[in-house]
Amino acid sequence: MSYLDRIAECNNHDPSLYRLFRVAGQRVGWLRQPFLERLRDFPHVFVIDDEAVSLNPELDNFENRSEAFDTVLRALATDGAIAGWRGEKYPVSTGFSEPPLMQMERAATPQFGVCAYGVHINGYVRLGDTIRLWIARRARDKPSYPGMLDNFVAGGQPIGISLGDNVIKELAEEADVPRGLAERAVPVGAITYSHEMPDGEAPGGLKSDVAFTYDLELPGDFEPRNSDGEIDEFYLWSLAEAMETTRETRDFKYNCALVNIDFFIRHGALNAEAEPDYLDIVKGLHG
């Protein structure tokens, strides 16, 4: 296996299998045929033709779109078509800086192929000339990817909160990082991917996502503690161990492997002289 294999797993979708999803005449997502058929039960909300599925144009503002869409999603969740309801609202828009056309339940974003945003924070410690990276293990009772390895802290980007405030919130909840330390997290970029989730892989659908990445240098005596029940354990690994596990196994949740690779590149551990696939790897982080 290789770093390129990890990247390919995150960008595995076949565009020919999807139909456009439009709101207010603008593309905001993609739908696969089997799930699309479920939407025919809601003709007052969706207009379906050979090219696209569109939200009914009579739903003409943020509030009535969001309300009608939520009614549909709750019905689909009751029927088992949407699993892992979070009670967390995500914006639906044509771009991160664009005003949201409506909001929707986080758990349903993959089924509609709506771009979801998140924050991933690399927590690391400098020991002389070396770097050690904090790694989290997801709780074994989580509904998605239980027990898999994860970045130090990661979380979705809900509507109505800034990236910076979300980073501080997630650091407090997942690793008990005090605010003064959390405010030192440095924004370092973003990775993008379009991951088609195989049948049986929760929550299903298309993860067309953006992960905003942050680095947080931590004191050597800092010990993370999880408070929201989403993490079972933390490990402080050498870069060599993190690189080998990322490259040679599927122990990391698929998108967290990309965040790792980005960290290795930016800190000089993965470079063009030592890695023949370097340029393809760099390009692949922005699929």
Side-chain angles (χ1 to χ4, degrees):
M1 292 188 283
S2 70
Y3 293 123
L4 284 180
D5 290 329
R6 302 285 78 74
I7 290 170
E9 289 165 359
C10 284
N11 292 283
N12 62 344
H13 79 297
D14 180 351
S16 68
L17 299 178
Y18 291 83
R19 200 176 303 189
L20 294 170
F21 175 47
R22 290 175 174 158
V23 175
Q26 303 181 76
R27 183 189 67 77
V28 296
W30 301 91
L31 289 158
R32 287 198 68 175
Q33 191 68 32
F35 185 75
L36 180 158
E37 295 302 323
R38 302 293 299 269
L39 304 184
R40 296 188 188 277
D41 295 336
F42 307 94
H44 60 295
V45 178
F46 300 103
V47 177
I48 301 174
D49 58 35
D50 292 339
E51 181 185 10
V53 176
S54 301
L55 208 64
N56 190 327
E58 293 182 4
L59 301 169
D60 57 3
N61 61 57
F62 179 93
E63 288 75 18
N64 62 28
R65 291 176 193 136
S66 300
E67 182 179 355
F69 205 66
D70 189 65
T71 299
V72 170
L73 297 184
R74 290 182 181 279
L76 292 171
T78 299
D79 291 344
I82 295 172
W85 194 274
R86 303 286 192 92
E88 190 174 337
K89 299 298 185 183
Y90 271 22
V92 178
S93 66
T94 58
F96 181 72
S97 298
E98 297 300 318
L101 299 168
M102 65 177 188
Q103 64 183 11
M104 67 180 295
E105 158 63 28
R106 172 180 180 173
T109 56
Q111 283 89 344
F112 288 85
V114 168
C115 183
Y117 302 90
V119 294
H120 286 242
I121 302 100
N122 303 291
Y124 69 98
V125 176
R126 290 190 186 273
L127 298 174
D129 294 332
T130 66
I131 288 177
R132 297 180 71 84
L133 191 61
W134 279 108
I135 303 297
R137 184 175 297 282
R138 297 165 68 86
R140 290 166 175 83
D141 60 356
K142 277 184 70 72
S144 59
Y145 310 102
M148 296 195 76
L149 297 176
D150 208 319
N151 304 126
F152 173 57
V153 167
Q157 181 65 31
I159 196 168
I161 184 172
S162 71
L163 287 169
D165 286 346
N166 195 28
V167 166
I168 291 169
K169 176 181 76 71
E170 292 292 339
L171 282 166
E173 292 175 351
E174 293 196 2
D176 197 24
V177 179
R179 185 180 185 92
L181 181 54
E183 288 174 342
R184 301 179 191 174
V186 178
V188 291
I191 61 169
T192 60
Y193 55 89
S194 294
H195 177 63
E196 184 175 310
M197 309 178 86
D199 292 340
E201 182 179 331
L206 179 67
K207 293 283 287 178
S208 179
D209 289 358
V210 176
F212 292 101
T213 52
Y214 290 74
D215 283 358
L216 176 60
E217 184 172 353
L218 295 162
D221 60 355
F222 177 79
E223 290 288 340
R225 292 181 297 272
N226 180 250
S227 60
D228 65 3
E230 295 193 359
I231 300 298
D232 273 356
E233 299 174 88
F234 289 98
Y235 315 103
L236 188 57
W237 281 7
S238 68
L239 279 190
E241 185 175 6
M243 292 175 74
E244 180 180 5
T245 303
T246 301
R247 183 181 63 245
E248 301 296 339
T249 77
R250 293 186 176 88
D251 292 351
F252 278 97
K253 181 172 174 276
Y254 66 95
N255 59 340
C256 298
L258 268 61
V259 175
N260 287 349
I261 293 168
D262 177 65
F263 184 88
F264 304 151
I265 290 170
R266 291 185 294 98
H267 289 267
L270 180 59
N271 57 70
E273 293 184 352
E275 174 55 66
D277 294 324
Y278 180 80
L279 289 179
D280 289 331
I281 290 169
V282 171
K283 293 176 184 176
L285 297 176
H286 308 285

